[in-house]
Amino acid sequence: MAEHNLHAGRLDDAFRWSLLAADDAVRLHAPDEQAIHLRRACDLWTQVGPVVSRTDRDRVLLLRRTSAICSSINRQDLAVDLLSQGLELLDWQQDPLLASDLLVRRSLARWRLTTPRTVVPDDALRAVELGSTDPDSPEYAIALSELAAMERWEARPGALEHANAAVDIARRTASVDALVRALSRRALATSVTDPPAALADAEEAAKLARTCGDLDGLLDATSWQFNALVELGRSAEATQTALSAYRELVEGGAGKAVHFLAFMVGWSLIEAGRWADARSVIRTALAARCVGVAGAATRLTATLLAVRSGQVAEARQHLERAHDLASDEFPGLYDCFALCGAEVLLAENEPQAALDWLQNHLPQPGHPVPETANDLLIASVQAAAEVAQNARDRGDKVGVARAASTIEQMLTDWQREPFSAAGRQTDLSIMNKALFDAEFARARGDAQAELWRSAAGACRTAGYLWGEVCAQFRFAEAALGEGYPVSAVGGTLRSAYRCASEMGAQPLRGSIVALARRSRISLVEPTPTAAPAEPTILSALTERELQILSYVAAGRSNTEIAKDLVISHKTVSVHVSNILRKTGTSSRTEAAALADRLRST
């Protein structure tokens, strides 16, 4: 009807029908359609009669509503334009609180669009100034909240002070919207320094947002709830909490910005080894065809999964698309852009390029070092280890030394103790330190087997299966090179092989198979040899002898069998001798072949 009246020249009717269509789009959870209808209403405002259009303030409110939906579908450029129109129409002196609200919204839209990393936007400062004309207003609380968030992203002092003030004001105003925003921003400010407090704030914000149906508030609160749980070492709970909220938000009709949560969930699922779940989340997010930050975040998660699955060309395409959709300077994605770029370069066998790429993304000497930069430091030492190995293969001792010195210089330039988690020892910081130490030893060519064993255990404790499997492979590789017996390595290598196969990590799986082949380690899992239903030569074997025969058929040595079954080496030898005697076979190989033949009949 809106289109029909528009083409018929009945603009007043077209305007009314556009607003009705926008309201219907809200009920139908169709944000893209809502944006189309509201934008048409904005365009028609100056062409309709005075009874329809009413006052300039009404027009400003329509522009604000339209900008909000444009922002939710990641059209930050349109949001900025609409808010700028509203600010030009508004008398700031007569309506300072509405002006403060519009400035906050424009500041956020511009920040998401241009992502400055070093300058708090003037809009944010001006919004606080205007909001302070009524120090007990929700607008003032929200303006302080957003200023605190930007200060926190830029590691500026004052973030927590402003966040605390915002929460106090929001509680006094009894505005649920303002309190949800203020609590979420304080959770951001304390997410690293005081995770328990951040978690409490985020949980309260999420509960309030659900109470009033504030989907954007729930998205924001869940993001910081997730981060706080990760900092507290509760990564599995963090993933499940965010995954449940993501599904709730999608079903509730949240805007496309919700798929930024898919990025957080998907990345966490990949690290936890839940690749099938990660693929499901990524497919849902990619199907939404998000642009802007949410679209880039989804593509980065797809990059990570593709490169670790061995689909390097696909990973490169996802990464390039992510760069098209958002600036790699966006604080919430900066580290992920760097990490994905490095993983793709390593998969393309360009370790020096990966190391150079990461060095360009590390904090520069004299600049603050965010906690998240620890991941970049670990990735850097991994790239340096690959560079050193390539140099070692060429007999280039200078190249080996140069790779190690690069990491030593990074540590010298670091402005604080790495992997300290604000002075606390957490499962995550312990894991990161263990991985760094093991990779550094690999870069230098030092003994590293036990470092990798420790790293695997730390990853297991932290719930990072991907890191654990990689560390298990590195342990086996190093241990065999350092003279460990095969029996001390086989179980770990088989565990890594099983997990890599289940995840679909083809490059890692291939490396494990190659190492096992070189070292003559069987990766075959024992297949239980059951007592035969009809009499055969195996009928004379006891249940324990049948069990041990399955291990013999899988290529296990007596030492490995003893370790797996927690019995003595001598006991295993006795059982094997009995098996050979009772089956009339003359060797372990012959006994294994007999078991295979009878199992297949």
Side-chain angles (χ1 to χ4, degrees), residues 94-143:
Q94 292 295 319
D95 209 340
L97 295 184
L98 181 54
S100 175
D101 178 81
L102 296 179
L103 284 167
V104 164
R105 293 169 184 269
R106 190 172 72 174
S107 175
L108 284 170
R110 281 177 168 169
W111 189 71
R112 291 166 181 155
L113 190 62
T114 61
T115 60
R117 291 180 60 84
T118 57
V119 179
V120 172
D122 291 339
D123 279 357
L125 298 172
R126 186 71 172 121
V128 170
E129 181 184 341
L130 289 166
S132 67
T133 57
D134 185 350
D136 287 329
S137 64
E139 289 83 359
Y140 186 41
I142 290 172

Side-chain angles (χ1 to χ4, degrees), residues 288-556:
R289 298 185 179 277
C290 298
V291 296
V293 170
T298 300
R299 292 288 178 168
L300 288 174
T301 313
T303 300
L304 188 69
L305 184 58
V307 74
R308 292 181 180 179
S309 300
Q311 299 165 334
V312 182
E314 180 182 327
R316 171 62 71 181
Q317 290 174 350
H318 283 305
L319 182 59
E320 290 174 354
R321 181 59 178 148
H323 278 284
D324 291 339
L325 292 171
S327 166
D328 61 7
E329 291 290 308
F330 182 76
L333 296 179
Y334 181 80
D335 295 340
C336 297
F337 266 112
L339 292 169
C340 284
E343 289 220 20
V344 170
L345 286 168
L346 285 173
E348 293 171 341
N349 198 28
E350 296 287 347
Q352 185 60 58
L355 182 57
D356 294 341
W357 166 265
L358 287 163
Q359 283 187 282
N360 289 334
H361 286 79
L362 285 171
Q364 296 303 306
H367 287 73
V369 178
E371 294 288 343
T372 53
N374 287 332
D375 292 336
L376 300 186
L377 192 58
I378 294 171
S380 297
V381 74
Q382 179 186 6
E386 293 296 328
V387 170
Q389 185 59 57
N390 283 357
R392 211 172 278 121
D393 292 343
R394 298 192 306 269
D396 180 5
K397 295 182 179 179
V398 174
V400 174
R402 186 185 302 115
S405 67
T406 298
I407 300 302
E408 291 169 354
Q409 186 60 52
M410 287 181 190
L411 292 173
T412 300
D413 294 339
W414 220 246
Q415 297 298 303
R416 60 171 175 78
E417 182 68 23
F419 317 114
S420 62
R424 295 175 291 106
Q425 283 287 303
T426 66
D427 289 342
L428 191 59
S429 64
I430 292 170
M431 179 191 80
N432 286 335
K433 180 67 163 58
L435 288 170
F436 179 87
D437 288 345
E439 287 287 13
F440 199 6
R442 186 164 76 98
R444 293 179 301 201
D446 296 342
Q448 59 196 267
E450 291 308 311
L451 291 173
W452 282 115
R453 192 200 298 273
S454 297
C459 290
R460 187 181 312 115
T461 300
Y464 283 68
L465 182 60
W466 168 255
E468 180 185 354
V469 175
C470 291
Q472 286 177 329
F473 165 67
R474 290 297 180 194
F475 161 75
E477 183 181 52
L480 290 167
E482 292 168 23
Y484 283 52
V486 168
S487 60
V489 175
T492 300
L493 195 61
R494 282 188 288 273
S495 175
Y497 174 76
R498 182 171 58 255
C499 291
S501 299
E502 289 172 355
M503 286 188 288
Q506 295 306 321
L508 178 58
R509 182 181 181 276
S511 296
I512 293 169
V513 169
L515 177 61
R517 186 185 303 115
R518 294 195 302 271
S519 308
R520 297 184 178 180
I521 295 175
S522 172
L523 296 174
V524 178
E525 294 291 342
T527 301
T529 304
E534 298 180 1
T536 72
I537 200 169
L538 299 183
S539 300
L541 301 183
T542 66
E543 184 176 341
R544 180 59 118 181
E545 288 167 349
L546 286 169
Q547 182 184 29
I548 288 177
L549 178 58
S550 70
Y551 277 82
V552 171
R556 301 291 194 274

Side-chain angles (χ1 to χ4, degrees), residues 28-48:
L28 293 170
H29 306 311
D32 290 290
E33 292 298 315
Q34 186 186 356
I36 290 170
H37 300 308
L38 287 176
R39 287 179 62 197
R40 183 193 296 121
C42 289
D43 292 341
L44 287 172
W45 187 279
T46 58
Q47 304 175 58
V48 297

